[in-house]
Amino acid sequence: MSDKILIVDFGSQLTQLIARRVRESGVYCEIVPYHSAEQGLIDLAPHAVILSGGPASVIGEDTPRAPQAIFDSGLPVLGICYGQMTMVAQLGGEVESSSHREFGRAFAEITDDSALFEGVWAPGERHQVWMSHGDRVIRLPEGFRAVGVSEGAPYAVVADDVRRYYGLMFHPEVVHTPDGAALLANFTHRVAGCTGDWTMAAFRKQAIDRVREQVGSGRVICGLSGGVDSSVVAALLHEAIGDQLTCVFVDHGLLRKDEAREVVELFRDHYKISLVHRDASELFLGKLEGVSDPEQKRKIIGATFIDVFDEEARRVGGADFLAQGTLYPDVIESVSPLGGPSVTIKSHHNVGGLPARMNMALVEPLRELFKDEVRVLGRELGLPESLVGRHPFPGPGLAIRIPGAITAEKADILRAADAIYLEEIRKAGLYDAIWQAFAVLLPVRTVGVMGDNRTYEFVCGLRAVTSTDGMTADFYPFDSEFLGRVATRIINEVRGINRVVYDVTSKPPGTIEWE
């Protein structure tokens, strides 16, 4: 196994970004909540430990702490924001509530050499960083020294070179700290001595070997949605166990235009995978009739999907395992140390579950990967770029892009508008520059005049965002000519829409989708 880093999560919404940056440097890492960190230290046997940020205050009562076993292990430790402050406090330093808080863009002045800075920063330089703290360190433990300061933090960067302990008051994992990834790589490679040999080719081989060992001669049934995650799972399992795999594709009537046909053609006709295609659109739309609450929609779709899938699985018969496209963020969210908004934001990942009546064990070959890594694995497996590089699409499909009650007519209207929008984005060569783009059928009708006729039709909202991590997003700056062309096509070609608007709001962590 490759070198490993353990990341201790104190509840920061940015903890997953730390892991992504570490993996991008070729080092495998795992996240564990602080209350399970001692066991994680034993299970993972890492080369180093990173302590994440978090929303708590070190000076408060009963706030999270790192287990003493980490500091007794002799391993290098990097503390980030809250992680730095709890490390300092636990080792004999002092933290106070600051009258000069720092949130957002700030600048760190480098005051001394450090292994973290090698080849990146030098003493006397001043560099942009991203801060998010209301407390600050005011006294260092024995053995530490300050190597960087900021306006609000006299110990913005600290180091104990003998024990290989380092602390940053800023967040190196975000893009707003331009040199952050290089600083993290210095910790994992120069300080911890990791080789950076974790590759997707190696993961592919390991995943296939694990599937074969787990499944043996058993049979596997896989829910195939046509999205990136389930498609990569299907391709990987097909390579691992061949004809022992059967895929079930449930069409809930809320897919994008031509998506059902494309899924069948690719997996049944091209890859020759045993595929059951169930068109259950009438059943789903019937159960959704009159339902407007978005969470209720998700629950109905999730529960109905399980019922339909279970029905088809029984028809197939003889399956010993159920394959799921569970990703690492889903695993992390399920054990979030402090709860927080992510549980609500990502509720659509946790709808339903595996009923005991299905009597199957789970196969989850992607549970160690982030979304961007799944795309890399898909390319490694030879899946077409049109599928691997497609924009994210939610499990409930168009249901969460039709605020208010859902009807077959509304779904058809939205499908047509969305297809035109994405077609024009591709024509303009912008698809890969945008992280996610989609149309929304707003729950309002407006009066318009088309030719000599007065119309009373829906408003279509368009959204396109850029993102480097899938957590924060900003709107894509289309020019007016592009937006005019798209709006004209939608109004002319889609009966039922007479007005188009474009959303230009930015989104904080976790709210990429419209809802």
Side-chain angles (χ1 to χ4, degrees):
M1 182 65 178
S2 303
D3 301 334
K4 300 179 286 290
I5 299 291
L6 178 70
I7 300 172
V8 179
D9 183 14
F10 290 104
S12 170
Q13 61 187 355
L14 301 172
T15 302
Q16 292 183 28
L17 292 186
I18 301 173
R20 291 168 66 94
R21 299 297 172 257
V22 170
R23 290 190 182 186
E24 284 168 4
S25 71
V27 180
Y28 181 73
C29 62
E30 290 187 9
I31 299 171
V32 297
Y34 70 91
H35 48 70
S36 303
E38 188 165 354
Q39 187 60 48
L41 194 67
I42 296 170
D43 294 342
L44 192 63
H47 283 60
V49 177
I50 297 176
L51 307 178
S52 85
S57 170
V58 169
I59 60 179
E61 295 184 6
D62 300 323
T63 51
R65 294 292 186 267
Q68 184 60 36
I70 288 176
F71 302 115
D72 294 339
S73 67
L75 295 173
V77 179
L78 172 65
I80 296 173
C81 198
Y82 184 91
Q84 183 209 41
M85 287 185 281
T86 194
M87 176 171 65
V88 165
Q90 289 180 240
L91 295 177
E94 188 176 353
V95 177
E96 71 170 8
S97 179
S98 175
S99 60
H100 188 142
R101 300 180 300 172
E102 289 181 306
F103 290 93
R105 185 176 288 103
F107 290 89
E109 295 183 12
I110 311 309
T111 58
D112 205 347
D113 286 316
S114 166
L116 286 182
F117 300 156
E118 193 169 341
V120 185
W121 291 350
E125 295 179 348
R126 186 169 180 265
H127 293 277
Q128 178 184 310
V129 296
W130 190 261
M131 294 282 195
S132 182
H133 65 92
D135 297 340
R136 66 178 182 177
V137 174
I138 58 171
R139 182 170 57 83
L140 292 177
E142 185 177 348
F144 279 84
R145 62 193 175 95
V147 294
V149 302
S150 71
E151 187 176 348
Y155 300 108
V157 188
V158 299
D160 180 333
D161 303 289
V162 175
R163 290 182 289 183
R164 296 181 296 174
Y165 293 165
Y166 300 88
L168 304 172
M169 277 304 297
F170 58 85
H171 289 273
E173 66 271 29
V174 299
V175 295
H176 311 293
T177 301
D179 299 317
L183 298 178
L184 285 170
N186 271 347
F187 176 73
T188 57
H189 291 64
R190 296 182 186 275
V191 175
C194 297
T195 58
D197 62 352
W198 187 71
T199 65
M200 196 51 66
F203 178 88
R204 172 186 178 181
K205 183 180 184 305
Q206 292 167 0
I208 288 173
D209 290 343
R210 284 198 298 263
V211 167
R212 287 172 178 166
E213 181 180 356
Q214 180 185 4
V215 171
S217 59
R219 296 195 59 80
V220 179
I221 191 166
C222 174
L224 181 63
S225 69
V228 176
D229 304 338
S230 66
S231 297
V232 172
V233 168
L236 180 71
L237 291 176
H238 185 60
E239 183 171 322
I241 58 174
D243 293 341
Q244 293 169 245
L245 170 69
T246 298
C247 290
V248 174
F249 171 44
V250 177
D251 181 356
H252 52 36
L254 296 162
L255 299 172
R256 288 171 288 203
K257 185 178 179 181
D258 297 329
E259 194 162 27
R261 175 182 57 79
E262 291 168 357
V263 169
V264 173
E265 288 179 353
L266 178 63
F267 290 94
R268 179 190 287 167
D269 301 340
H270 178 73
Y271 282 103
K272 308 301 181 185
I273 293 176
S274 175
L275 174 67
V276 175
H277 175 205
R278 168 74 179 275
D279 183 354
S281 53
E282 289 188 10
L283 173 64
F284 278 85
L285 290 171
K287 287 183 176 291
L288 289 167
E289 185 176 357
V291 178
S292 59
D293 179 74
E295 287 301 315
Q296 190 64 22
K297 290 178 190 176
R298 291 186 174 107
K299 290 176 181 177
I300 290 171
I301 291 170
T304 306
F305 179 88
I306 288 174
D307 290 342
V308 174
F309 185 89
D310 189 19
E311 186 179 323
E312 295 302 324
R314 290 176 181 276
R315 286 200 181 107
V316 171
D320 307 289
F321 298 89
L322 172 66
Q324 289 189 167
T326 306
L327 302 189
Y328 197 42
D330 302 327
V331 176
I332 296 167
E333 294 293 346
S334 70
V335 293
S336 178
L338 300 176
S342 59
V343 175
T344 299
I345 291 168
K346 295 184 179 286
S347 63
H348 56 283
H349 287 292
N350 305 304
V351 171
L354 186 58
R357 70 177 185 273
M358 295 184 75
N359 194 30
M360 289 184 283
L362 282 174
V363 177
E364 299 172 303
L366 308 184
R367 65 180 286 117
E368 297 169 352
L369 299 183
F370 289 102
K371 186 76 173 188
D372 56 328
E373 294 170 333
V374 174
R375 296 184 193 278
V376 176
L377 178 59
R379 296 182 182 100
E380 181 74 27
L381 291 165
L383 287 169
E385 187 61 32
S386 59
L387 188 152
V388 174
R390 75 191 311 180
H391 292 174
F393 189 63
L398 301 181
I400 63 171
R401 297 177 182 175
I402 304 176
I406 298 171
T407 65
E409 178 190 17
K410 286 183 179 179
D412 288 339
I413 291 172
L414 179 56
R415 236 188 306 271
D418 190 68
I420 291 171
Y421 183 34
L422 293 179
E423 180 185 337
E424 288 296 331
I425 287 174
R426 287 191 174 93
K427 281 183 180 179
L430 299 175
Y431 191 83
D432 292 336
I434 295 169
W435 195 85
Q436 186 184 42
F438 55 88
V440 174
L441 195 67
L442 298 179
V444 293
R445 291 175 182 262
T446 62
V447 174
V449 176
M450 301 178 71
D452 293 325
N453 297 312
R454 188 177 295 275
T455 63
Y456 185 59
E457 297 178 329
F458 288 105
V459 176
C460 175
L462 303 180
R463 180 152 172 70
V465 297
T466 57
S467 179
T468 58
D469 48 43
M471 293 194 59
T472 59
D474 203 353
F475 69 91
Y476 186 84
F478 289 122
D479 59 43
S480 57
E481 182 180 349
F482 174 86
L483 290 174
R485 183 165 64 250
V486 172
T488 298
R489 278 199 62 190
I490 289 175
I491 291 170
N492 286 345
E493 299 176 34
V494 181
R495 187 175 296 276
I497 293 175
N498 67 2
R499 184 163 300 177
V500 176
V501 296
Y502 182 58
D503 178 25
V504 294
T505 56
S506 300
K507 293 292 178 182
T511 52
I512 298 297
E513 272 287 351
W514 192 281
E515 292 185 349

